[in-house]
Amino acid sequence: MLNIVLFGPPGAGKGTQSQYIIEKYNLIHLATGDMLRAEISEKTQMGLEAKKFIDKGQLVPDETVIGMIAHKLEKHSNASGFVFDGFPRTTVQAAKLDEMLQKHGAPISLMISLEVGKDELIARLLNRGKISGRTDDQSESTIRRRLEVYNTETLPVMDYYKKQGKYREIYGMGTIEEIFQRICKVIDETKGK
Ligand code: ADP
């Protein structure tokens, strides 16, 4: 199995690169942000609760996203691997993911961190907000709040994987294709081991 955590701040390009990775390596894409937006558009109780946090630029409670991931891992028990996108975002989520994967046969193979400068992130997100209509991408103050939350709550996840020797950094500026090639190189090195 090939289990990849695609890591990086909001706007780093995780969603875009995930699409290319899952296609090339035949993996399942598990993006908690997408799952939450699906719940919101279906107006489920969970979605309505989550929206309050998302619109403020805060993280949704750990139990909510852990529950969604657990459900998907069960559903795709025959998968040849997963790309986790936007999850884990706290060390509690990271520890829980390790625990869940123990039951599903294979641990995280590597964590790929996309490195993009702050000004570029803000510009990309504001631009995405205009195109996608995502409410959390439309206000610069919400975007800045998300970047702060990333620094305080999510960055420790990087150390979690560094300690496991699984952390790999990728320069996330350039064309989508250039960045994808950098990612493939790292994945292929890991697969070859
Ligand atoms: P981005 O990476 O651009 O912020 P996402 O689609 O990954 O976009 O996430 C959107 C929002 O959904 C986050 O700001 C957060 O409120 C919530 N969210 C997504 N994944 C998680 C998670 N693993 N833990 C807590 N909240 C999450």
Side-chain angles (χ1 to χ4, degrees):
M1 262 181 116
L2 182 61
N3 290 323
I4 299 169
V5 172
L6 195 54
F7 189 78
K14 302 183 295 288
T16 304
Q17 294 297 334
S18 291
Q19 293 306 325
Y20 289 89
I21 299 170
I22 57 163
E23 194 173 320
K24 174 161 178 181
Y25 297 96
N26 188 29
L27 305 173
I28 302 280
H29 184 206
L30 297 185
T32 41
D34 291 348
M35 294 175 203
L36 290 167
R37 281 185 289 278
E39 296 285 337
I40 292 171
S41 66
E42 286 164 29
K43 299 195 167 58
T44 65
Q45 183 66 33
M46 187 202 285
L48 296 175
E49 275 303 309
K51 189 170 171 15
K52 295 181 197 160
F53 293 94
I54 294 174
D55 284 347
K56 280 188 265 185
Q58 294 170 354
L59 294 182
V60 169
D62 286 332
E63 313 83 74
T64 306
V65 289
I66 289 167
M68 292 192 310
I69 291 285
H71 177 76
K72 296 285 181 184
L73 290 176
E74 291 292 338
K75 186 173 158 196
H76 298 282
S77 56
N78 294 324
S80 57
F82 298 93
V83 174
F84 297 93
D85 162 2
F87 181 92
R89 256 175 158 97
T90 63
T91 50
V92 170
Q93 293 175 22
K96 197 71 194 181
L97 178 60
D98 277 348
E99 207 181 285
M100 290 190 284
L101 286 175
Q102 256 175 13
K103 283 192 225 147
H104 288 272
I108 291 298
S109 319
L110 87 156
M111 186 241 224
I112 298 176
S113 175
L114 289 171
E115 301 296 319
V116 177
K118 189 173 173 186
D119 292 346
E120 169 79 8
L121 293 172
I122 294 172
R124 285 186 189 180
L125 291 170
L126 283 171
N127 191 43
R128 187 169 74 183
K130 283 186 205 141
I131 299 163
S132 72
R134 256 179 71 169
T135 48
D136 58 341
D137 286 341
Q138 286 176 5
S139 114
E140 184 160 340
S141 64
T142 308
I143 291 174
R144 288 188 184 274
R145 177 86 192 107
R146 278 152 68 203
L147 293 174
E148 274 166 32
V149 168
Y150 174 79
N151 286 330
T152 52
E153 300 186 48
T154 306
L155 267 185
V157 173
M158 202 183 252
D159 287 326
Y160 183 93
Y161 289 103
K162 273 185 186 165
K163 282 192 194 123
Q164 293 188 354
K166 292 175 180 167
Y167 168 83
R168 296 294 302 269
E169 194 175 299
I170 298 268
Y171 183 54
M173 308 273 273
T175 66
I176 291 172
E177 180 60 26
E178 279 163 358
I179 299 162
F180 181 56
Q181 290 313 320
R182 290 175 205 141
I183 291 176
C184 291
K185 194 162 167 262
V186 168
I187 294 178
D188 293 339
E189 278 166 21
T190 305
K191 281 182 69 171
K193 270 186 204 160

